[in-house]
Amino acid sequence: MKDNDSATATATIAVSARDAGGQGTTKTAASVGLDAPTTPAATARGALVGRGALLAALGVAAFSLTFPGTAWALEGMGPWTVVMLRSVLAAVVAGGALAVFRVRLPERRHWAGIAVVAGGVVLGFPLLTTLALETSTTSHAAVVVGLLPLTTAACSAVRTGVRPSRTFWIASLVGAAVVIGFAVQQSGGAPGRSDLLLFAALLVCAAGYTEGGRLARHMPGWQVIGWALVLVLPVTVAGAALALSTEPLQLTVHSVGGLLWLAFGSQFLGLVVWYRGMAAIGIHKASQLQLAQPLLTLIWSVLLLGERLPPAAPAAALAVLACIAVTQRARG
């Protein structure tokens, strides 16, 4: 590998200068205070990271509306109807896009990962959190989102071999503790059936996020979630038909609006930008942006559901944002 060492070695620039005796001397750029110019590759990499962070943040913003949207949908539909219909509607859009652009089937080696995405973020997380929200408030359900960044980072470390730094983990733990303490304190909830459902949702979603972020390095993010939705379409169509025949259905502005957002915002568009963001900046760093998601959810809960925002929200928001800044600067 000697021939390739120069690709990573520190470059120096030789500068010819005359000393007091008139003799020529050679000095490096560092010795005369000169810095090597920024390379186009470094500039492009910086732009990619910035764009990736923006896409991941847009995904978080979309996800922050998931619980309020679910609460709206549950006003006129049963939990199984909500979960199955949101997946079917999103699959129609995703499948149509795959057909229009004539996207080839993924390679055989990628189907196992797509199945994990489908089981985690298409079926598992939506179903478990929707069932939990039947007996839990949106603010209490936000506890699971406070834990999700840590779980995703841990899952990523096991699956991809990435080892974040100690600073990264400390900031992550502090941020998660702030979010959990804030959410639990303001909800006043005690462990129960809904907590078990949320904990299970946490695990399957972390697996789906990790696998989706890995796959997004091999194919566009919209294709990752698109193929996952199409893969389980036979199950969701059958499930939707069964749910509609057994659960009550009342079409209202809230129930229809909530369902449409879940299908097109949370289930498809949100995951498209989220996976692209993870592929650009790394799974463990992108996951830490979700530390802000519970607080965003609380804001939407006030605006859309009429819940009262606790006085501690501003302080918690600042603490979480500080932790996010640390994790984004920490190197794995």
Side-chain angles (χ1 to χ4, degrees):
M1 299 298 293
K2 290 293 184 181
D3 293 337
N4 296 328
D5 288 346
S6 60
T8 55
T10 301
T12 59
I13 301 176
V15 179
S16 179
R18 296 285 179 178
D19 58 16
Q23 301 296 322
T25 60
T26 299
K27 300 182 180 181
T28 65
S31 67
V32 295
L34 297 178
D35 294 323
T38 302
T39 64
T43 301
R45 175 58 183 169
L48 177 64
V49 171
R51 184 165 59 251
L54 176 61
L55 290 172
L58 289 175
V60 170
F63 299 152
S64 70
L65 280 162
T66 298
F67 289 162
T70 302
W72 269 13
L74 287 173
E75 291 180 11
M77 306 175 190
W80 289 90
T81 300
V82 171
V83 173
M84 296 303 166
L85 280 182
R86 66 181 278 185
S87 296
V88 170
L89 292 174
V92 170
V93 176
L98 291 170
V100 168
F101 291 102
R102 298 180 180 181
V103 178
R104 294 182 179 180
L105 289 171
E107 297 178 25
R108 185 176 180 180
R109 62 192 176 98
H110 293 323
W111 279 109
I114 292 173
V116 173
V117 174
V121 302
V122 174
L123 292 178
F125 186 79
L127 177 59
L128 293 168
T129 54
T130 300
L131 292 174
L133 283 172
E134 284 193 299
T135 57
S136 174
T137 63
T138 57
S139 57
H140 184 77
V143 173
V144 70
V145 181
L147 291 174
L148 189 55
L150 274 179
T151 310
T152 302
C155 187
S156 171
V158 173
R159 181 66 178 87
T160 66
V162 174
R163 295 295 183 268
S165 66
R166 181 179 299 179
T167 301
F168 176 92
W169 285 114
I170 292 175
S172 299
L173 287 169
V174 172
V178 170
V179 171
I180 294 170
F182 174 66
V184 170
Q185 184 274 331
Q186 60 86 34
S187 68
R193 175 178 174 272
S194 63
D195 296 288
L196 296 177
L197 291 170
L198 292 170
F199 181 72
L202 171 72
L203 297 177
V204 299
C205 189
Y209 278 175
T210 298
E211 205 62 27
R214 186 187 67 82
L215 287 171
R217 297 178 179 177
H218 304 281
M219 65 182 78
W222 73 272
Q223 293 181 21
V224 173
I225 186 58
W227 286 117
L229 287 163
V230 171
L231 179 65
V232 296
L233 187 58
V235 175
T236 54
V237 168
L242 180 60
L244 286 170
S245 65
T246 57
E247 293 182 334
L249 178 65
Q250 184 179 0
L251 300 181
T252 65
V253 173
H254 276 188
S255 63
V256 173
L259 177 65
L260 291 178
W261 174 258
L262 292 175
F264 304 126
S266 298
Q267 192 76 78
F268 185 63
L269 295 178
L271 286 169
V272 167
V273 296
W274 176 242
Y275 284 145
R276 288 190 64 183
M278 283 198 295
I281 66 176
I283 297 172
H284 65 286
K285 283 193 174 183
S287 68
Q288 301 315 301
L289 293 173
Q290 282 196 305
L291 287 170
Q293 186 173 325
L295 302 178
L296 290 174
T297 298
L298 290 174
I299 294 175
W300 292 124
S301 297
V302 171
L303 298 177
L304 301 177
L305 304 178
E307 295 185 8
R308 186 176 181 181
L309 187 66
L318 290 175
V320 169
L321 290 176
C323 291
I324 292 175
V326 173
T327 60
Q328 293 301 293
R329 297 178 73 89
R331 294 183 178 181

PDB file of all heavy atoms in Angstrom, residues 49 165 167-168 171 284-285 288 321-332:
ATOM      1  N   VAL A  49     -22.482  16.703   3.590  1.00  0.00           N
ATOM      2  CA  VAL A  49     -22.841  16.549   5.004  1.00  0.00           C
ATOM      3  C   VAL A  49     -23.928  17.551   5.401  1.00  0.00           C
ATOM      4  O   VAL A  49     -24.881  17.212   6.091  1.00  0.00           O
ATOM      5  CB  VAL A  49     -21.583  16.723   5.888  1.00  0.00           C
ATOM      6  CG1 VAL A  49     -21.982  16.798   7.365  1.00  0.00           C
ATOM      7  CG2 VAL A  49     -20.624  15.567   5.666  1.00  0.00           C
ATOM      8  N   SER A 165     -17.526   7.881  19.360  1.00  0.00           N
ATOM      9  CA  SER A 165     -16.595   8.246  20.418  1.00  0.00           C
ATOM     10  C   SER A 165     -17.293   8.299  21.782  1.00  0.00           C
ATOM     11  O   SER A 165     -18.514   8.297  21.882  1.00  0.00           O
ATOM     12  CB  SER A 165     -15.979   9.614  20.113  1.00  0.00           C
ATOM     13  OG  SER A 165     -16.983  10.620  20.173  1.00  0.00           O
ATOM     14  N   THR A 167     -17.311  10.858  23.783  1.00  0.00           N
ATOM     15  CA  THR A 167     -18.046  12.126  23.864  1.00  0.00           C
ATOM     16  C   THR A 167     -19.433  11.994  23.257  1.00  0.00           C
ATOM     17  O   THR A 167     -20.422  12.505  23.788  1.00  0.00           O
ATOM     18  CB  THR A 167     -17.268  13.236  23.139  1.00  0.00           C
ATOM     19  OG1 THR A 167     -15.981  13.382  23.739  1.00  0.00           O
ATOM     20  CG2 THR A 167     -18.022  14.563  23.196  1.00  0.00           C
ATOM     21  N   PHE A 168     -19.499  11.299  22.134  1.00  0.00           N
ATOM     22  CA  PHE A 168     -20.781  11.071  21.460  1.00  0.00           C
ATOM     23  C   PHE A 168     -21.756  10.356  22.395  1.00  0.00           C
ATOM     24  O   PHE A 168     -22.913  10.753  22.550  1.00  0.00           O
ATOM     25  CB  PHE A 168     -20.547  10.259  20.191  1.00  0.00           C
ATOM     26  CG  PHE A 168     -21.808   9.870  19.464  1.00  0.00           C
ATOM     27  CD1 PHE A 168     -22.316  10.675  18.464  1.00  0.00           C
ATOM     28  CD2 PHE A 168     -22.474   8.702  19.781  1.00  0.00           C
ATOM     29  CE1 PHE A 168     -23.473  10.325  17.786  1.00  0.00           C
ATOM     30  CE2 PHE A 168     -23.628   8.339  19.114  1.00  0.00           C
ATOM     31  CZ  PHE A 168     -24.128   9.151  18.112  1.00  0.00           C
ATOM     32  N   ALA A 171     -22.898  12.595  25.433  1.00  0.00           N
ATOM     33  CA  ALA A 171     -23.885  13.593  25.017  1.00  0.00           C
ATOM     34  C   ALA A 171     -25.221  12.939  24.691  1.00  0.00           C
ATOM     35  O   ALA A 171     -26.292  13.482  24.998  1.00  0.00           O
ATOM     36  CB  ALA A 171     -23.368  14.372  23.809  1.00  0.00           C
ATOM     37  N   HIS A 284     -25.523   6.932  13.164  1.00  0.00           N
ATOM     38  CA  HIS A 284     -25.477   7.305  14.575  1.00  0.00           C
ATOM     39  C   HIS A 284     -25.627   8.810  14.770  1.00  0.00           C
ATOM     40  O   HIS A 284     -26.248   9.251  15.741  1.00  0.00           O
ATOM     41  CB  HIS A 284     -24.188   6.789  15.231  1.00  0.00           C
ATOM     42  CG  HIS A 284     -22.934   7.388  14.707  1.00  0.00           C
ATOM     43  ND1 HIS A 284     -22.411   7.058  13.474  1.00  0.00           N
ATOM     44  CD2 HIS A 284     -22.084   8.304  15.241  1.00  0.00           C
ATOM     45  CE1 HIS A 284     -21.293   7.726  13.276  1.00  0.00           C
ATOM     46  NE2 HIS A 284     -21.076   8.494  14.324  1.00  0.00           N
ATOM     47  N   LYS A 285     -25.098   9.626  13.848  1.00  0.00           N
ATOM     48  CA  LYS A 285     -25.253  11.077  13.986  1.00  0.00           C
ATOM     49  C   LYS A 285     -26.658  11.526  13.615  1.00  0.00           C
ATOM     50  O   LYS A 285     -27.243  12.390  14.277  1.00  0.00           O
ATOM     51  CB  LYS A 285     -24.216  11.801  13.129  1.00  0.00           C
ATOM     52  CG  LYS A 285     -22.823  11.799  13.737  1.00  0.00           C
ATOM     53  CD  LYS A 285     -21.912  12.777  13.025  1.00  0.00           C
ATOM     54  CE  LYS A 285     -20.561  12.868  13.733  1.00  0.00           C
ATOM     55  NZ  LYS A 285     -19.669  13.859  13.118  1.00  0.00           N
ATOM     56  N   GLN A 288     -29.289  11.138  16.339  1.00  0.00           N
ATOM     57  CA  GLN A 288     -29.301  12.077  17.466  1.00  0.00           C
ATOM     58  C   GLN A 288     -30.163  13.301  17.193  1.00  0.00           C
ATOM     59  O   GLN A 288     -30.599  13.981  18.128  1.00  0.00           O
ATOM     60  CB  GLN A 288     -27.876  12.510  17.810  1.00  0.00           C
ATOM     61  CG  GLN A 288     -26.955  11.365  18.190  1.00  0.00           C
ATOM     62  CD  GLN A 288     -27.582  10.393  19.151  1.00  0.00           C
ATOM     63  OE1 GLN A 288     -27.986  10.764  20.254  1.00  0.00           O
ATOM     64  NE2 GLN A 288     -27.704   9.142  18.745  1.00  0.00           N
ATOM     65  N   LEU A 321     -30.992  20.659  22.416  1.00  0.00           N
ATOM     66  CA  LEU A 321     -30.284  21.226  21.272  1.00  0.00           C
ATOM     67  C   LEU A 321     -28.778  21.284  21.515  1.00  0.00           C
ATOM     68  O   LEU A 321     -27.981  21.075  20.609  1.00  0.00           O
ATOM     69  CB  LEU A 321     -30.829  22.620  20.965  1.00  0.00           C
ATOM     70  CG  LEU A 321     -32.249  22.666  20.393  1.00  0.00           C
ATOM     71  CD1 LEU A 321     -32.712  24.109  20.229  1.00  0.00           C
ATOM     72  CD2 LEU A 321     -32.320  21.932  19.069  1.00  0.00           C
ATOM     73  N   ALA A 322     -28.392  21.559  22.765  1.00  0.00           N
ATOM     74  CA  ALA A 322     -26.965  21.565  23.100  1.00  0.00           C
ATOM     75  C   ALA A 322     -26.365  20.171  22.935  1.00  0.00           C
ATOM     76  O   ALA A 322     -25.260  20.009  22.413  1.00  0.00           O
ATOM     77  CB  ALA A 322     -26.769  22.064  24.528  1.00  0.00           C
ATOM     78  N   CYS A 323     -27.102  19.155  23.365  1.00  0.00           N
ATOM     79  CA  CYS A 323     -26.626  17.775  23.223  1.00  0.00           C
ATOM     80  C   CYS A 323     -26.521  17.385  21.752  1.00  0.00           C
ATOM     81  O   CYS A 323     -25.579  16.696  21.342  1.00  0.00           O
ATOM     82  CB  CYS A 323     -27.563  16.814  23.953  1.00  0.00           C
ATOM     83  SG  CYS A 323     -27.520  16.975  25.751  1.00  0.00           S
ATOM     84  N   ILE A 324     -27.475  17.828  20.953  1.00  0.00           N
ATOM     85  CA  ILE A 324     -27.435  17.540  19.523  1.00  0.00           C
ATOM     86  C   ILE A 324     -26.188  18.162  18.901  1.00  0.00           C
ATOM     87  O   ILE A 324     -25.497  17.542  18.083  1.00  0.00           O
ATOM     88  CB  ILE A 324     -28.700  18.059  18.820  1.00  0.00           C
ATOM     89  CG1 ILE A 324     -29.920  17.250  19.266  1.00  0.00           C
ATOM     90  CG2 ILE A 324     -28.549  17.986  17.309  1.00  0.00           C
ATOM     91  CD1 ILE A 324     -31.224  17.767  18.703  1.00  0.00           C
ATOM     92  N   ALA A 325     -25.880  19.401  19.287  1.00  0.00           N
ATOM     93  CA  ALA A 325     -24.696  20.067  18.747  1.00  0.00           C
ATOM     94  C   ALA A 325     -23.415  19.291  19.078  1.00  0.00           C
ATOM     95  O   ALA A 325     -22.520  19.149  18.250  1.00  0.00           O
ATOM     96  CB  ALA A 325     -24.611  21.497  19.306  1.00  0.00           C
ATOM     97  N   VAL A 326     -23.339  18.771  20.301  1.00  0.00           N
ATOM     98  CA  VAL A 326     -22.158  18.006  20.708  1.00  0.00           C
ATOM     99  C   VAL A 326     -22.043  16.721  19.909  1.00  0.00           C
ATOM    100  O   VAL A 326     -20.979  16.350  19.415  1.00  0.00           O
ATOM    101  CB  VAL A 326     -22.210  17.698  22.220  1.00  0.00           C
ATOM    102  CG1 VAL A 326     -21.071  16.746  22.603  1.00  0.00           C
ATOM    103  CG2 VAL A 326     -22.096  18.985  23.014  1.00  0.00           C
ATOM    104  N   THR A 327     -23.155  15.998  19.767  1.00  0.00           N
ATOM    105  CA  THR A 327     -23.117  14.734  19.041  1.00  0.00           C
ATOM    106  C   THR A 327     -22.772  14.932  17.572  1.00  0.00           C
ATOM    107  O   THR A 327     -22.112  14.095  16.958  1.00  0.00           O
ATOM    108  CB  THR A 327     -24.456  13.980  19.143  1.00  0.00           C
ATOM    109  OG1 THR A 327     -25.503  14.785  18.601  1.00  0.00           O
ATOM    110  CG2 THR A 327     -24.780  13.643  20.587  1.00  0.00           C
ATOM    111  N   GLN A 328     -23.210  16.043  16.984  1.00  0.00           N
ATOM    112  CA  GLN A 328     -22.917  16.285  15.581  1.00  0.00           C
ATOM    113  C   GLN A 328     -21.443  16.624  15.360  1.00  0.00           C
ATOM    114  O   GLN A 328     -20.905  16.400  14.275  1.00  0.00           O
ATOM    115  CB  GLN A 328     -23.793  17.430  15.051  1.00  0.00           C
ATOM    116  CG  GLN A 328     -25.266  17.114  14.984  1.00  0.00           C
ATOM    117  CD  GLN A 328     -25.551  15.910  14.097  1.00  0.00           C
ATOM    118  OE1 GLN A 328     -25.368  15.953  12.892  1.00  0.00           O
ATOM    119  NE2 GLN A 328     -25.999  14.826  14.689  1.00  0.00           N
ATOM    120  N   ARG A 329     -20.780  17.148  16.390  1.00  0.00           N
ATOM    121  CA  ARG A 329     -19.368  17.520  16.258  1.00  0.00           C
ATOM    122  C   ARG A 329     -18.440  16.389  16.694  1.00  0.00           C
ATOM    123  O   ARG A 329     -17.258  16.394  16.357  1.00  0.00           O
ATOM    124  CB  ARG A 329     -19.066  18.768  17.088  1.00  0.00           C
ATOM    125  CG  ARG A 329     -19.831  19.995  16.622  1.00  0.00           C
ATOM    126  CD  ARG A 329     -19.540  21.202  17.510  1.00  0.00           C
ATOM    127  NE  ARG A 329     -18.200  21.707  17.251  1.00  0.00           N
ATOM    128  CZ  ARG A 329     -17.879  22.617  16.333  1.00  0.00           C
ATOM    129  NH1 ARG A 329     -18.840  23.098  15.546  1.00  0.00           N
ATOM    130  NH2 ARG A 329     -16.666  23.047  16.164  1.00  0.00           N
ATOM    131  N   ALA A 330     -18.993  15.441  17.467  1.00  0.00           N
ATOM    132  CA  ALA A 330     -18.175  14.330  17.955  1.00  0.00           C
ATOM    133  C   ALA A 330     -17.900  13.362  16.806  1.00  0.00           C
ATOM    134  O   ALA A 330     -18.767  13.098  15.977  1.00  0.00           O
ATOM    135  CB  ALA A 330     -18.891  13.605  19.088  1.00  0.00           C
ATOM    136  N   ARG A 331     -16.718  12.842  16.767  1.00  0.00           N
ATOM    137  CA  ARG A 331     -16.332  11.910  15.706  1.00  0.00           C
ATOM    138  C   ARG A 331     -16.382  10.485  16.215  1.00  0.00           C
ATOM    139  O   ARG A 331     -15.939  10.189  17.294  1.00  0.00           O
ATOM    140  CB  ARG A 331     -14.937  12.219  15.188  1.00  0.00           C
ATOM    141  CG  ARG A 331     -14.839  13.556  14.482  1.00  0.00           C
ATOM    142  CD  ARG A 331     -13.452  13.767  13.927  1.00  0.00           C
ATOM    143  NE  ARG A 331     -13.357  15.042  13.199  1.00  0.00           N
ATOM    144  CZ  ARG A 331     -12.261  15.464  12.601  1.00  0.00           C
ATOM    145  NH1 ARG A 331     -11.169  14.710  12.634  1.00  0.00           N
ATOM    146  NH2 ARG A 331     -12.221  16.611  11.970  1.00  0.00           N
ATOM    147  N   GLY A 332     -16.994   9.637  15.377  1.00  0.00           N
ATOM    148  CA  GLY A 332     -17.062   8.232  15.732  1.00  0.00           C
ATOM    149  C   GLY A 332     -15.726   7.535  15.478  1.00  0.00           C
ATOM    150  O   GLY A 332     -14.902   8.020  14.767  1.00  0.00           O
TER     151      GLY A 332
END
